[in-house]
Amino acid sequence: MVTTLPMRFRIIHFFSTVDEASVEQLMDGLRAEYGQEGQFNRKIFDEHIASMRQGGILHDRDVDLNDKDELVQTFAITDYGRDRLKYLPKSFNG
Amino acid sequence: MANGISSAGAAARVARAKEIRGERELSFAKKGLFTAALSGALWGLDGVVLGMALAMAPFTGGTSIYAGGLVGGVLHDGFAGLWLLIYNIMTGRSKEVFRSLNTWPGKLVCIAAVFGGPLAMGGYLLGIKFAGAAYAMGISALYPVVGAVLAQIVLKERITPRVWIGILACVIGAFIMGYAPPEGDAMPNFYLGLGCAAVAAFGWGVEGVLSTYGMDMVDPAVAINLREATSSIVSIVFVLPFVAGLPMLIEAFSHFDSLWLLAIAGLVGGASYLCWYRGFSMCGVGRTMALNITYAIWGLVFSYFMTDVELTANLVVGALVITAGAILIVANPKEILNLRSEA
């Protein structure tokens, strides 16, 4: 049986598979697994990302404004965050 | 020339973007500190409501002097767990509960619950029995210091000298508020009592660090739900049988007047626990624990309006010392932006 990770853990795993990503790209990447759940919304993702950035799991990468003057930023995983992957369950087929 | 103008425009745009990012990060840090302080305010209100429930039947009887408090505590945590489960279902996190339990970080949160639940609470109650309330409460109030030291070691949390002074002030303030002249009775197991109270401080401190480590990978709202469920179940199976508490637990379900008060206390307590764990995840263990201790002030405020508590000098002085400590802790939210030193 393939394990579905807690979403926060899956976010860490996602960032370990890409060089950098924005919250939009992250949500696109996880939509197939979690898109049907109530927790899959921008507010909760923003909170996870802010908490992980503050705790040193992720760090800021690029930042800019788009045509609508909205903030566009990307994040990347740190070595400290990558170290958490040692707790991935063996049944997770990432 | 045109390229020069466009690159200058791009640089200005990026500078503006960085400014907005900085504002958002600072706003999140402030929200974390507010959440931690809110956990203290709600805990103060919870304590008053819980105290009203425990002053009613069946908690005033029992064959053991601890049965009332422990059974009330189990029911309080059980109700808090149920409210938190409802919250998680309503916010679309219900599947996260079992997903988290299937991972090591989720299990770590459950282990943290044993430290902070039955172990710390047992130590606290035994500390009061053997050493008296004044010393036991004073020593067990050291938990933010234990939590901050362990968070520095395990989580590499950055705690500046000013924040350290704030944490110590909160602890000293709580000690002053809880202090009462020791009773004159001989206490043959006095030092054992001090040890038990130290176990409580250790248990709560360890809980904060282990759960925060787990919450790097588990949603705080789910983590606190697991914490409450584990704490209640372990207490029912391993603690209540030793204090003759199981008959009282069953009897409590026929006393609706105290049961509904416990359900309300569980709602307020569940909200407080949620803020507490979110605070750990947002602004760190040391700061959250110290801001949580402001419950002593809030408990006093709520007691003043809801009961007939008398304002004594040590209550007022202790409250002022805690307030000064809390101000020192929240003085510079920018230092939370990079909370851990190795990251």
Side-chain angles (χ1 to χ4, degrees), chain A residues 36-76:
Chain A
Q36 300 301 313
E37 298 173 16
Q39 64 169 338
F40 194 85
N41 63 65
R42 180 65 193 241
K43 185 170 174 278
I44 287 183
F45 270 86
D46 279 342
E47 279 208 10
H48 284 316
I49 294 292
S51 176
M52 287 178 181
R53 200 212 66 81
Q54 208 135 287
I57 304 282
L58 302 176
H59 68 85
D60 295 321
R61 189 61 87 70
D62 291 332
V63 60
D64 206 342
L65 297 178
N66 64 15
D67 296 341
K68 295 176 193 164
D69 233 20
E70 295 164 336
L71 189 69
V72 181
Q73 62 181 129
T74 58
F75 303 88

Side-chain angles (χ1 to χ4, degrees), chain B residues 211-331:
Chain B
S211 62
T212 303
Y213 193 92
M215 282 188 290
D216 279 350
M217 292 144 277
V218 173
D219 190 315
V222 177
I224 190 61
N225 207 159
L226 292 176
R227 189 266 189 213
E228 291 301 270
T230 307
S231 171
S232 305
I233 293 167
V234 171
S235 293
I236 289 170
V237 176
F238 295 104
V239 179
L240 291 194
F242 296 99
V243 295
L246 291 177
M248 185 187 283
L249 180 67
I250 294 163
E251 192 191 343
F253 285 96
S254 60
H255 290 265
F256 290 105
D257 44 352
S258 54
L259 198 63
W260 78 263
L261 261 182
L262 274 172
I264 292 173
L267 176 63
V268 180
S272 171
Y273 278 127
L274 179 61
C275 291
W276 195 40
Y277 267 41
R278 290 189 72 201
F280 285 156
S281 180
M282 293 171 83
C283 62
V285 175
R287 290 169 179 83
T288 300
M289 285 190 168
L291 289 174
N292 177 263
I293 231 170
T294 58
Y295 75 81
I297 304 175
W298 294 107
L300 186 62
V301 172
F302 292 123
S303 298
Y304 183 77
F305 289 108
M306 294 167 70
T307 68
D308 52 357
V309 69
E310 189 185 336
L311 287 179
T312 60
N314 60 337
L315 287 178
V316 174
V317 171
L320 288 174
V321 174
I322 292 177
T323 306
I327 289 169
L328 285 172
I329 292 166
V330 302

Side-chain angles (χ1 to χ4, degrees), chain B residues 43-90:
Chain B
W43 197 243
L45 177 60
D46 178 45
V48 177
V49 180
L50 185 60
M52 288 160 71
L54 294 184
M56 299 163 84
F59 305 109
T60 47
T63 51
S64 149
I65 57 170
Y66 303 109
L70 283 168
V71 171
V74 164
L75 283 168
H76 169 271
D77 282 6
F79 276 122
L82 283 176
W83 288 116
L84 287 163
L85 183 62
I86 292 169
Y87 172 80
N88 281 327
I89 291 169
M90 287 175 65

Side-chain angles (χ1 to χ4, degrees), chain B residues 65-209:
Chain B
I65 57 170
Y66 303 109
L70 283 168
V71 171
V74 164
L75 283 168
H76 169 271
D77 282 6
F79 276 122
L82 283 176
W83 288 116
L84 287 163
L85 183 62
I86 292 169
Y87 172 80
N88 281 327
I89 291 169
M90 287 175 65
T91 54
R93 293 175 165 100
S94 55
K95 290 183 179 171
E96 288 281 293
V97 175
F98 287 102
R99 274 177 200 155
S100 301
L101 262 181
N102 280 334
T103 64
W104 168 241
K107 292 182 177 77
L108 193 63
V109 168
C110 296
I111 295 168
V114 176
F115 275 96
L119 184 73
M121 194 48 75
Y124 179 65
L125 291 173
L126 288 174
I128 291 175
K129 177 181 167 67
F130 294 135
Y135 288 103
M137 288 170 76
I139 288 178
S140 62
L142 283 168
Y143 71 88
V145 175
V146 177
V149 169
L150 291 174
Q152 276 196 321
I153 297 168
V154 178
L155 300 169
K156 314 296 178 198
E157 207 168 287
R158 281 198 187 105
I159 299 175
T160 61
R162 193 196 67 255
V163 173
W164 264 120
I165 294 170
I167 292 172
L168 290 173
C170 284
V171 168
I172 292 167
F175 183 79
I176 294 171
M177 286 186 82
Y179 184 79
E183 293 126 32
D185 307 342
M187 289 194 165
N189 295 314
F190 179 74
Y191 290 103
L192 177 63
L194 296 188
C196 290
V199 166
F202 177 77
W204 287 320
V206 169
E207 179 200 2
V209 174

